[in-house]
Amino acid sequence: MRIFLEIEVRCLQFRSCSKMKRERLNTACLLKESFGQLWEYERERWARRFFENWRAVLKWQRLVPYEKFAQIIDRHWDGIAAYCKPENKVSLGFVEGLNNKNRVIQRRAYGLRDEEYLRLKILTCMLPVL
C-alpha cells in the first residue's frame, strides 16, 4: 500500500507543518489507522457498513489518494467480503509455503511449454504420498 507509506512519512513530518496542514495530516493518519479495523470483521454486512462509514468520513476531507484507495477497495470488494468469512482466513505461513512450492516446481519445469502440465504438477504436489 504505497499510499499509506507516503502518509506515514508525512505523519513523521507533522511538527514542521502549519496548523491547517497538521489538521489534514492528522485526519489522514486517523483514517489510515482506522481502516485496519476492516480486517477484523467476521461478517460481510458489518465490514461493508464499516467501509461505507469510513468512506463517508473521507468524503469531505479532499484527500485524493484516499479516494483512489477507496475506489480500489470498492472494485475488489468481492474478495474482501470472501475474506470476512472465518473459513476463508488462511494463515500466512501456509500461503508462503504454497508459493514456495510453486516457485520450486516452476524452476524445475523451466523449458516446458505446456502450461497444462505445469498446472497438473502444482496440483499433484498437494496430494498425500501413497
Side-chain angles (χ1 to χ4, degrees), residues 73-89:
I73 294 296
D74 211 19
R75 280 195 310 258
H76 295 281
W77 186 255
D78 293 336
I80 293 169
Y83 179 80
C84 290
K85 298 176 184 171
E87 64 268 10
N88 291 338
K89 293 190 178 183

Side-chain angles (χ1 to χ4, degrees), residues 33-106:
E33 293 298 322
S34 68
F35 187 80
Q37 295 175 5
L38 177 70
W39 310 113
E40 297 172 9
Y41 288 100
E42 293 185 0
R43 297 183 187 217
E44 177 188 354
R45 191 173 334 132
W46 286 99
R48 187 66 186 186
R49 183 178 292 172
F50 169 80
F51 178 66
E52 293 301 329
N53 289 339
W54 186 84
R55 190 182 233 180
V57 171
L58 174 68
K59 186 176 184 180
W60 301 105
Q61 302 304 322
R62 295 183 322 216
L63 297 169
V64 176
Y66 277 64
E67 291 170 7
K68 289 180 183 177
F69 176 73
Q71 290 173 355
I72 291 170
I73 294 296
D74 211 19
R75 280 195 310 258
H76 295 281
W77 186 255
D78 293 336
I80 293 169
Y83 179 80
C84 290
K85 298 176 184 171
E87 64 268 10
N88 291 338
K89 293 190 178 183
V90 179
S91 71
L92 293 178
F94 173 76
V95 174
E96 289 295 324
L98 187 63
N99 286 340
N100 190 30
K101 277 189 175 188
N102 288 344
R103 271 188 245 114
V104 168
I105 290 171
Q106 284 177 342

Side-chain angles (χ1 to χ4, degrees), residues 7 39 109 118:
I7 295 299
W39 310 113
L118 178 62

